[in-house]
Amino acid sequence: QGPDLPWRNTVYELAFDPAVPGRIWGAMSNTHDIPNDNVISGRHRVIMEGGAAVSNDFGISWKKCDLSAAPALSVVLDPTSPADRRVLYTSLFEKGVYESTDGGATWASASDGLGHPRNLRCCKLHRGADGTLFVLITAKKGDGGELTLDGVGLYRSTDAAVTWSKITGPLQLHWPKDFTVKPGDSQTILLSAAGFRGHGEEGGLYQTTDGGMTWKKLVQKEGEHFGAF
């Protein structure tokens, strides 16, 4: 990631400006394997170092964005925003979703309705072509060492991250890992999940075609499913 940044471990996601060649935003972290078993089971610790950064020269040099320190798992761009005032969203593990309306110069929390005070493990963040935003909150162990349902699930915002609502209530999954929204259809979503100890039956690939009102398990092969396209 170069000498300009303090993080050396993982780049989780890149967002390319469609109108400005060479302008890239990155979601970066000093912890790898999120949200896989090493992190969820506690085999290695989560280092709360990371964030978003921007490059204007095709990634040769980078500038760290002014964000609360935490692993950044996603960064997405609103391509309808002005090129000189890009709207961006990033998901920070354990800290929620943040929004910038000035190309990443400043950021503000945009987590109203997200998760639980004991779990803001935001992972993948996605923006559909219609502007709908989705973010996944993944597994966390409770005080007794078992996975908790607190805050876990897939959340949707239809008002540019002003508010969020959970759309996986019928599933009650302990450990969702990834999701894919059908291009051009924000009502159709594939969601992958892992089973864990007494919740092995939860592993599999799930689908909704009505925006989360109902879900159907399509397949389960072994205990963990990582994603689908």
Side-chain angles (χ1 to χ4, degrees):
Q1 298 168 27
D4 308 302
L5 298 176
W7 317 305
R8 296 290 180 269
N9 194 295
T10 301
V11 177
Y12 278 97
E13 190 169 83
L14 298 173
F16 296 84
D17 195 309
V20 183
R23 184 189 284 171
I24 311 167
W25 288 269
M28 304 176 182
S29 170
N30 266 346
T31 298
H32 59 281
D33 274 359
I34 302 172
N36 295 332
D37 193 39
N38 279 335
V39 168
I40 302 306
S41 66
R43 285 202 294 260
H44 71 225
R45 67 188 180 95
V46 175
I47 302 169
M48 292 299 287
E49 297 173 1
V54 61
S55 172
N56 289 295
D57 54 13
F58 296 93
I60 296 172
S61 62
W62 292 87
K63 180 180 178 182
K64 178 179 177 291
C65 295
D66 185 15
L67 265 168
S68 180
L73 278 293
S74 277
V75 58
V76 299
L77 162 73
D78 178 355
T80 68
S81 58
D84 61 341
R85 299 187 308 279
R86 286 301 196 195
V87 173
L88 301 158
Y89 304 92
T90 188
S91 56
L92 299 184
F93 198 63
E94 301 281 16
K95 294 195 176 180
V97 170
Y98 282 72
E99 178 187 20
S100 173
T101 58
D102 54 14
T106 60
W107 297 79
S109 177
S111 300
D112 186 18
L114 273 182
H116 188 278
R118 290 191 293 271
N119 185 12
L120 271 176
R121 288 189 152 189
C122 289
C123 294
K124 182 176 180 178
L125 175 66
H126 171 81
R127 181 186 182 276
D130 63 357
T132 304
L133 294 167
F134 298 87
V135 69
L136 184 68
I137 295 183
T138 195
K140 188 171 186 177
K141 286 186 176 181
D143 295 337
E146 292 296 318
L147 296 184
T148 177
L149 286 171
D150 291 344
V152 176
L154 183 63
Y155 291 76
R156 176 178 58 208
S157 174
T158 57
D159 55 12
V162 176
T163 59
W164 295 87
S165 58
K166 185 175 176 178
I167 63 170
T168 49
L171 289 180
Q172 294 291 291
L173 297 175
H174 288 78
W175 188 2
K177 300 189 71 170
D178 197 6
F179 68 94
T180 301
V181 180
K182 184 178 180 180
D185 179 9
S186 290
Q187 297 295 302
T188 300
I189 306 163
L190 294 172
L191 176 71
S192 59
F196 184 81
R197 295 183 182 171
H199 308 291
E201 76 286 352
E202 294 179 4
L205 181 66
Y206 297 81
Q207 181 187 48
T208 180
T209 58
D210 55 16
M213 293 180 61
T214 60
W215 292 85
K216 177 183 178 181
K217 181 185 278 193
L218 300 180
V219 66
Q220 180 174 5
K221 297 290 186 180
E222 306 300 333
E224 296 192 35
H225 285 243
F226 289 82
F229 295 93

